[in-house]
Every structure is written in C-alpha cells, then in structure tokens.
Amino acid sequence: VVYFFANGKADGNASMKDTLGGKGAGLAEMTNAGLPVPPGFTISTNACREYLTHKNHTSTKVNQETFKALAWLERVSKQKFGSLTNPLLVSVRSGAKFSMPGMMDTILNLGLNDKTVGTLARRSQNPRFAWDCYRRLIQMFGEVVFKISRTAFDDVFDDIKAKEKAEADTDLSAKALMEMVVCYKGIVEKETGQAFPQEPRKQLQMARDAVFQSWNTPRAITYRKMNSIPYDLGTAVTVQLMVFGNMGNDCGTGVAFTRNPSTGNREFYGEYLLNSQGEDVVAGIRTPVPIAKLRKKMPAVYKQLIRIAQRLEKHYRDMQDFEFTIQGGKLYMLQTRTGKRTGQAALKIAHEMVKEKLITKEEAVLRVASGQFKQLMHPVIAVTGKLEVIAKGLPASPGTVAGRIVFTADEAVEKSADGPVVLVRSETVPDDIHGMQAAVGILTSRGGLTSHAAVVARSMDKCCIVGCDAIQPNEKERTLSVEGYTLDGNDWLSLDGNTGRVILGQAFTLNPSKG
C-alpha cells in the first residue's frame, strides 16, 4: 500500500506508474538517481480504488499503513507531527498514471495549527513566513477538504491587501497574515459548522481522503473524457516533507522544461518566483520571472538545474517538465514528468532527438500524435490594413482566433453554441476546464508560460495568451478594461498566440493549409 523514498533509496521506480502514479514514480526514480528529493512516501492507486469502491471509506489497513509510514518519516526527518519544539510539516499531493495538470488536488504545510505556527515562527526567526504558511494551509484545506469556494478566501485576501496598501502578497506583514488566519478560520467555521481541525493526524487523514475523492471531481472527469484516460485508474497520494520557497529572498519555486514546449527549441525553458510556494507559479496567481534570470540571482542553483535537466532528458529520452523549490539557497526537486507540448514542438523535438540518437526513427513517429499535425496548420494574422493592437501578453500556445468575450467557464459553454468565444480571466483554475474546452482561445491577465492556463491550453491545442497585465477583467460587471476601452460580451477580440498580441475586433487570417 505504501512505498518510501529517502536518502538515495526508494521502494519504487519509473516503471511503476500504475501503482505509484506519475508523480510517485518520478520521485522514486529521481531519489534512486541521487537527485535532491525531500523524503516521503506514496500511498498507492490501489488504496484509492479501494476507497472509491467502498463508498469513500478508508480501510483499517490503509490507515495503519499511513501512520506507520508517518512514524518512519518522523524518524528520517528527525521531526515530529504536532511537536511544539520541532514540528513535522508535509505536503499531500495527487498523482495519477497519466499527467492531469491541475485537475486533482494538493495541500501544502499540513501539520500546522494554532500552536505549531508559533513554533515555526520561533525556529525560523521569521513570523511572516510562518503565518503565510498557515493561511495557505487553511485556504487549501478549506477548498479541497471542505469544498469551500475559493472566492470566499480571495475576497478576504484582497480586502486585507488593500487595507495594507500592499502591491504584492509578499508585501503583507506578519500582523496582516495573522489577521487573515483569523478570518480564514472564521470562513471555515461559518461554511462547515466546525472549527478548522487542530490535530495534525486528523488533518492528514482528511487530506488523504479528499485527494482520493478529487479523482472524481467534475473537472477531473471532464479532462479524462477529453484525453481518453480510463476512469478506473485512480490516483496515488504522495506525502512528502515540506521544503519552503517562501522563507525569504534566498528561497523560491519554479517550473522548468528541458526544451521549449511551444517551439521545441533545445533550450532550458521555465519560470520561477522568489519567496513563494509552488502553487503561486502553476495557479497563475502571480506572473513569474523567466528562469534565465535565476542565473544572476543564484548562479550555483542555476548551474545545478541545468545539469539536472540534462540528466533527466537523457535518462527519460524525452522532454521533461519538472518542479523545484529553493530553500535557503539549496535546491530540491519535487516532480518530473513528460512535458506537454504543441504540435510544432512535438515534431521538432522528435526530429532532433533522432539526430541526437536519443530515440529511433520509429519512436519519433510514435511521439507525434495525429491531432498534433493539425496544429501545424494554425491560421496566422493577415497583414491587411492597420491592426488595432490594444494589449500584449505572453504567447503561451500558438494560433490565431477571434470570438466574443466571455468571463466565466459556464458562460463560455453557454455562448459558444451561438458562435466562437474567447475566455478572458484574471487566471484560470482547474474548474474552468469545461469553459476552456468550449472557447476558441484563452486570455489571462496574470500567470506565466508554465501556469495552469498555459499548460492546459497547449495540451488542448487552444490559442492562449497569459500574463497580459494591461487588461482588467471584471467578472461581476462582465466588462473588460484595457487601454482606455471598456469592452463587454458584445465585443470581439482576436488573439495572436504566436506573438502575444491582443487585437480589437475580428482580424483577417490566412490559413497555411490553403496557401
């Protein structure tokens, strides 16, 4: 049921995706290879299938194995769950056999409560960091376990941020974050009728079972149908020692690719954020920085990442997408998986890997799905007359599309029946998957090239522009403010996913397949 990984030795390996899921198998393989992976254990997909088969009930055996594994992790880490002197904190993360980016759930900083947060503040000598971790835990736990709307937490966050006159979340003081924790706990009590759980072992049980349940969320089911992923695989759950990217400016988190997933160019590609946790990058809450800039900030870490990227690609013989955290200037690897890519990138990567003798010609043919060839025929903007370019963002997924503006996923599904729509959001969330499928293109004001919107759009062959900070979508008012314009659902936008241009109206396009 449980498979361990720590200190260069793991119970599993890359071939065990059926049992460990993609994340667990990747962590095991990286551990065996001697890469810097925080210790932890993976609860198998078998336990998930058993849980779902028995109407969301965990067997005594799985509970016993979970807490036996927890005791092992306490010994390895020399920390203890709930300790008031040296508390163990863990992440609880999903991981199916096939990559389903953002479709299932994760909870970070588990093990914090009203007492251990004070211990973390004293031990780190950084109260702001400790309270930041606690507010993140309560929000993630509230959303994942108690199914509380993210909006409830976001409204409080925005109010306190405005009151503090903080431009970024990193500008919030420890006092402001303590106030946020009180408000967040109030939301949990109001929405559920019970207090936020203080017992760490109870937190772990509830989090594990909620991650099992996330296999059958509407967004996960939609994604599986879109990608022909079998419904009965289940997800593994990985419990891992927390490492912190939000302890200060010698810390950070990022996502990187061994090659460019949009073009296929052989270049180290990715993004990172200083003083942040992993969800900040992938959720698109903040727009991250190109990874090349890490070379100046942390040259030793950057060189280590380059070496690891080369090792991973050579080992897996395919482009890898990996997550990392930097704590106190030290690098930790949190995940590796085969990277999602555009059709153009798939063709180029397959061709070049044959030349590099990483794969055979036969393997190269199998690497490019039939649907990806269609992407090579994306229309492009026709240069006829003056284009009214009203904003520019990051070109996350190629193509050129035009459609009427919609502001929510449900609206995208509803209005797409009457013609093409462009989904405009501050950032997309996993629950938007049905709207992303219905829209011809996606535009976000926040997030980077490795955000949820970017990664999912590439896998869906959808034109996408992210990090377009000149636009201000207002979901409540159903308006979009940009460069002196106020647009609504009657207005058309054209997106040029090749350059990141946002164009007012319907731009003329050329179809290469007919050229």
Side-chain angles (χ1 to χ4, degrees):
V1 175
V2 174
Y3 297 77
F4 302 101
F5 54 91
N7 303 326
K9 294 181 180 178
D11 291 342
N13 56 52
S15 69
M16 296 175 65
K17 286 185 179 181
D18 283 328
T19 300
L20 301 179
K23 187 177 280 99
L27 287 167
E29 191 77 359
M30 288 194 295
T31 299
N32 287 329
L35 297 186
V37 176
F41 57 90
T42 299
I43 304 168
S44 73
T45 56
N46 296 329
C48 176
R49 289 192 291 270
E50 179 187 277
Y51 176 84
L52 297 174
T53 300
H54 290 88
K55 298 180 180 178
N56 296 357
H57 177 75
T58 306
S59 69
T60 301
K61 180 183 178 184
V62 170
N63 276 328
Q64 288 174 341
E65 291 291 316
T66 298
F67 289 113
K68 183 179 175 183
L70 178 66
W72 169 87
L73 186 56
E74 288 177 325
R75 290 193 298 273
V76 168
S77 65
K78 298 179 182 177
Q79 298 173 334
K80 194 165 182 65
F81 229 30
S83 167
L84 298 184
T85 55
N86 191 13
L88 170 66
L89 303 180
V90 298
S91 62
V92 180
R93 306 172 79 198
S94 61
K97 177 181 180 180
F98 299 105
S99 175
M100 295 172 59
M103 295 304 122
M104 291 177 297
D105 290 320
T106 290
I107 298 177
L108 305 179
N109 311 322
L110 197 129
L112 278 176
N113 57 29
D114 291 349
K115 294 180 179 178
T116 55
V117 67
T119 304
L120 185 63
R122 289 192 300 273
R123 285 184 64 86
S124 65
Q125 298 183 321
N126 189 341
R128 190 209 168 278
F129 152 70
W131 289 97
D132 184 47
C133 288
Y134 197 19
R135 67 98 181 167
R136 290 170 183 269
L137 168 63
I138 297 168
Q139 176 166 356
M140 288 185 177
F141 201 94
E143 290 180 27
V144 173
V145 178
F146 294 129
K147 316 302 181 193
I148 299 171
S149 168
R150 175 180 170 176
T151 306
F153 297 105
D154 284 349
D155 288 347
V156 169
F157 185 91
D158 292 341
D159 287 346
I160 292 177
K161 194 173 168 184
K163 188 170 74 173
E164 288 276 303
K165 296 179 180 176
E167 288 188 18
D169 56 352
T170 49
D171 298 326
L172 290 167
S173 65
K175 183 179 177 183
L177 291 164
M178 288 173 72
E179 180 186 349
M180 201 175 291
V181 163
V182 172
C183 294
Y184 280 13
K185 288 198 297 181
I187 290 170
V188 170
E189 192 151 1
K190 179 184 175 183
E191 295 291 330
T192 67
Q194 57 184 296
F196 177 77
Q198 295 292 305
E199 215 297 296
R201 290 166 68 92
K202 182 68 174 175
Q203 290 179 6
L204 179 58
Q205 275 185 299
M206 294 173 76
R208 176 201 61 198
D209 293 352
V211 172
F212 283 155
Q213 289 172 34
S214 72
W215 175 253
N216 280 333
T217 58
R219 63 177 182 262
I221 292 169
T222 297
Y223 190 88
R224 289 202 297 275
K225 286 179 179 176
M226 284 166 45
N227 292 277
S228 302
I229 296 173
Y231 74 93
D232 56 353
L233 296 177
T235 180
V237 175
T238 294
V239 179
Q240 191 172 18
L241 177 72
M242 277 298 305
V243 287
F244 299 99
N246 60 328
M247 289 181 75
N249 287 329
D250 61 349
C251 305
T253 186
V255 177
F257 293 78
T258 57
R259 304 195 186 209
N260 188 313
S262 293
T263 64
N265 290 343
R266 192 179 181 186
E267 60 184 350
F268 186 45
Y269 176 98
E271 297 170 320
Y272 77 100
L273 280 169
L274 290 179
N275 198 14
S276 64
Q277 288 198 313
E279 292 302 295
D280 296 341
V281 177
V282 296
I285 295 166
R286 290 160 59 191
T287 300
V289 179
I291 196 133
K293 294 190 176 182
L294 189 62
R295 189 199 305 260
K296 286 187 177 179
K297 290 280 186 184
M298 300 181 189
V301 170
Y302 185 80
K303 286 180 183 176
Q304 189 180 3
L305 278 169
I306 292 287
R307 290 195 301 270
I308 288 174
Q310 291 169 344
R311 281 186 65 185
L312 288 174
E313 186 169 280
K314 190 173 181 181
H315 180 77
Y316 283 99
R317 299 166 55 249
D318 201 352
M319 181 187 82
Q320 292 296 290
D321 160 9
F322 61 87
E323 296 177 22
F324 62 90
T325 285
I326 305 161
Q327 177 180 307
K330 185 176 180 181
L331 177 67
Y332 296 91
M333 298 295 291
L334 302 182
Q335 174 169 313
T336 190
R337 60 188 176 188
T338 301
K340 304 287 186 188
R341 65 204 76 179
T342 64
Q344 175 187 343
L347 194 62
K348 184 168 186 175
I349 290 169
H351 175 68
E352 293 195 349
M353 284 189 169
V354 171
K355 290 201 298 184
E356 295 160 24
K357 298 185 179 178
L358 276 175
I359 60 175
T360 65
K361 289 180 180 179
E362 290 75 19
E363 287 174 309
V365 171
L366 295 173
R367 290 278 174 92
V368 185
S370 58
Q372 289 180 307
F373 282 106
K374 296 178 185 176
Q375 295 184 31
L376 303 175
M377 296 298 143
H378 276 310
V380 295
I381 294 285
V383 185
T384 54
K386 186 178 179 182
L387 297 172
E388 197 164 358
V389 178
I390 57 174
K392 192 169 183 181
L394 302 172
S397 187
T400 301
V401 297
R404 294 190 190 275
I405 302 168
V406 292
F407 297 92
T408 68
D410 289 343
E411 189 182 12
V413 172
E414 179 187 342
K415 292 192 174 179
S416 63
D418 299 320
V421 297
V422 170
L423 178 62
V424 182
R425 306 278 280 151
S426 295
E427 73 269 347
T428 63
V429 296
D431 284 335
D432 290 331
I433 187 68
H434 58 301
M436 295 174 75
Q437 184 183 25
V440 295
I442 298 114
L443 172 64
T444 70
S445 61
R446 296 198 290 261
L449 295 168
T450 56
S451 65
H452 172 267
V455 171
V456 174
R458 279 194 292 268
S459 72
M460 294 169 67
D461 185 21
K462 294 281 182 181
C463 175
C464 180
I465 298 171
V466 297
C468 186
D469 56 11
I471 68 167
Q472 297 175 35
N474 186 324
E475 181 184 324
K476 291 179 182 176
E477 300 290 334
R478 293 290 195 273
T479 59
L480 175 65
S481 301
V482 51
E483 297 297 324
Y485 295 93
T486 300
L487 309 176
D488 59 28
N490 293 314
D491 291 298
W492 284 73
L493 282 184
S494 298
L495 306 184
D496 184 356
N498 306 297
T499 64
R501 293 180 298 173
V502 180
I503 300 160
L504 187 62
Q506 292 176 268
F508 290 103
T509 60
L510 293 174
N511 193 327
S513 64
K514 296 177 182 177

